[in-house]
Amino acid sequence: MSGLVDKSLRARAEAVIPGGMYGHQSVGLLPDDYPQFFSGGDGAHLTDADGRRYLDLMCAYGPNLFGYGQPQINAAYVRQLEIGDALTGPTALMVELAEAMTAMVTHADWAMFCKNGTDATTMAMMTARAHTGRKALVLAKGAYHGAAPWCTPRPGGVVPSDRAHQHFCAYNDIASLEAAVAQAGDDLAAIFAAPFRHDAFIDQAPPDPAYARRARELADQHGALLVVDDVRAGLRVARDCSWSVLGVQPDLSTWGKCIANGHPISALLGNDKARKAAASIYVTGSFWYAGAAMAAGLETLRLVRETDYLERLQGLGMRLRTGLHDRAAAAGFGLRQTGPETMPLFLFDDDPDLRLGFAWSSAMLARGVYVHPWHNMFLCAAMTQADIDAALNAAEAAFADLKRDAGSLGPVEKLAFLAAR
Ligand code: PMP
């Protein structure tokens, strides 16, 4: 079970926070022994409210790219905080950051800054509708684009009109993409695409280049805009929009999470075609012009340009993937590792109710490694080969636990356990 401090915080939270917690950390989404509350992070490590330290393979669900508390990025943030953060208007940093992002992202001629990924995806939708004067969106079923009424994955508080004008296709399925575009007909405003299939609970899938090219063609044929939602994958696939590796350039791309290494800022980037429409929509927020996160963003982008962080992440991810494959196989478990090596997701074969995944994740946690049983994880540049090797040692022991637990069950329970595999 979780520690005493965590337990007490949970009890207090139940009184003053609806459901005790909301969103992606809602109570019950993770194994019971997972901590709900944390006290700090340093580099690749996370400390929970009870003072237990973990190698953190979630990286705050993405924002941690260069390490928690990365000194140069934090120094830039703190410096600007002292000079001035939320002011009556933006600082020069806003222009500098827009220049840095458009210089880095091939398709982008302009940038607008906001706070969360949902702000950016909602602005992308509005820009496409303003550009075309049309309403319909084509989206891949199951793809996450945020938590506003038009895209939140749960039905609470959402009315059918919030979801009107949406047509769904299956990711990487060209025929279903064409069918959804046909359904949208003359009303097509935008095709939204995740850079790869990174839905929760299922195997991740790389984008089929033919699917990406067809999305580009269909958007062009219909005078609609193509949007790549890079909020999650941005900067862990490329130092550019993630579909640039396929040679496909969207009209709009959305960014967030790690672009300032965890400091709060997100962005909508676009090409000249979409500039007038982007200027026409009214979007803003009390904190959107604040300078400190922009200073952190500039420093993060400098590290993106000037270091080999991406190649190191890929190398570490490959070491983790190969090592885990060998250890799972040696223990007799089928572990599917999907997604880019920098953003892996692990699912066990024959584990429809995630019983094995939950048990293995708990066993990892007990050994000081925070993994997620059904969401993609993230590597960060503060990780070292020694960290990966520690994770692999923990994994070996966690697989042994799983095997032993199957062995210690009575025959009926054992059958159920094995059937669940
Ligand atoms: N799009 C994608 C692909 C995401 O992964 C997320 C967040 N997980 C969002 C949009 C929304 O971002 P935020 O939570 O910052 O609003």
Side-chain angles (χ1 to χ4, degrees):
M1 285 306 288
S2 62
L4 289 178
V5 177
D6 194 74
K7 267 209 196 77
S8 137
L9 285 170
R10 282 176 192 239
R12 286 165 56 195
E14 245 177 73
V16 291
I17 294 169
M21 185 55 64
Y22 43 87
H24 58 286
Q25 288 277 292
S26 297
V27 175
L29 289 179
L30 286 165
D32 288 343
D33 46 5
Y34 268 54
Q36 188 89 57
F37 295 94
F38 298 90
S39 62
D42 58 290
H45 291 83
L46 182 65
T47 303
D48 73 16
D50 283 275
R52 297 177 189 150
R53 198 158 173 270
Y54 309 98
L55 173 67
D56 179 20
L57 285 167
M58 279 315 283
C59 289
Y61 287 77
N64 174 15
L65 180 63
F66 283 103
Y68 291 119
Q70 203 284 345
Q72 290 144 300
I73 298 169
N74 272 13
Y77 182 86
V78 170
R79 205 179 309 125
Q80 189 57 40
L81 199 60
E82 286 168 352
I83 298 170
D85 187 23
L87 305 171
T88 301
T91 65
L93 295 168
M94 185 177 182
V95 182
E96 287 170 30
L97 188 58
E99 287 168 348
M101 291 211 73
T102 54
M104 184 182 74
V105 176
T106 305
H107 82 87
D109 299 311
W110 53 262
M112 293 167 79
F113 299 106
C114 33
K115 281 291 154 193
N116 277 283
T118 306
D119 300 332
T121 55
T122 302
M123 283 159 67
M125 172 184 74
M126 292 168 72
T127 301
R129 285 177 170 166
H131 175 75
T132 56
R134 305 180 198 151
K135 300 185 286 299
L137 311 176
V138 165
L139 306 147
K141 201 156 188 50
Y144 187 78
H145 295 298
W150 71 273
C151 57
T152 186
R154 298 262 184 94
V158 175
V159 298
S161 58
D162 292 328
R163 304 301 183 103
H165 319 298
Q166 297 186 354
H167 304 276
F168 290 91
C169 65
Y171 195 82
N172 272 345
D173 180 336
I174 292 177
S176 86
L177 174 66
E178 290 171 345
V181 167
Q183 267 174 26
D186 291 343
D187 201 29
L188 184 67
I191 299 174
F192 270 71
F196 63 93
R197 192 177 69 198
H198 51 35
D199 308 352
F201 298 107
I202 59 171
D203 292 331
Q204 315 293 279
D208 175 353
Y211 175 82
R213 284 195 295 270
R214 188 70 182 128
R216 180 67 273 176
E217 263 169 30
L218 287 167
D220 288 341
Q221 281 166 15
H222 290 75
L225 298 186
L226 177 63
V227 184
V228 168
D229 179 0
D230 240 341
V231 168
R232 192 182 311 183
L235 304 181
R236 280 190 174 84
V237 172
R239 292 176 179 83
D240 197 339
C241 178
S242 295
W243 270 14
S244 67
V245 299
L246 309 175
V248 175
Q249 302 297 343
D251 301 300
L252 301 175
S253 60
T254 53
W255 300 73
K257 290 193 183 279
C258 70
I259 61 171
N261 203 47
H263 296 291
I265 188 161
S266 59
L268 172 66
L269 304 190
N271 60 13
D272 275 332
K273 197 201 294 182
R275 188 190 289 264
K276 204 163 149 221
S280 79
I281 62 173
Y282 185 78
V283 287
T284 189
S286 300
F287 307 111
W288 285 19
Y289 305 144
M294 293 181 183
L298 279 166
E299 189 59 17
T300 304
L301 295 188
R302 186 186 68 74
L303 293 171
V304 164
R305 285 191 308 270
E306 295 180 6
T307 69
D308 63 351
Y309 83 99
L310 185 57
E311 295 67 29
R312 287 206 321 103
L313 285 193
Q314 287 162 342
L316 292 170
M318 195 47 86
R319 189 180 183 92
L320 179 65
R321 182 160 292 186
T322 321
L324 264 184
H325 170 83
D326 294 348
R327 283 159 182 78
F333 290 102
L335 184 74
R336 301 192 306 281
Q337 304 184 65
T338 56
E341 320 82 61
T342 55
M343 297 174 65
L345 182 138
F346 310 148
L347 291 171
F348 282 80
D349 286 346
D350 306 319
D351 189 27
D353 58 5
L354 298 181
R355 199 177 306 193
L356 281 179
F358 268 52
W360 185 77
S361 299
S362 289
M364 291 292 278
L365 188 88
R367 291 176 173 80
V369 185
Y370 192 105
V371 293
H372 202 293
W374 49 261
H375 192 286
N376 76 267
M377 286 162 265
F378 301 84
L379 270 63
C380 78
M383 288 172 182
T384 62
Q385 287 198 354
D387 289 327
I388 299 300
D389 293 346
L392 292 174
N393 286 339
E396 190 167 328
F399 287 126
D401 276 7
L402 274 198
K403 254 175 112 165
R404 187 210 53 222
D405 290 348
S408 68
L409 298 170
V412 175
E413 289 165 301
K414 185 168 183 169
L415 266 183
F417 185 91
L418 293 173
R421 289 183 52 196

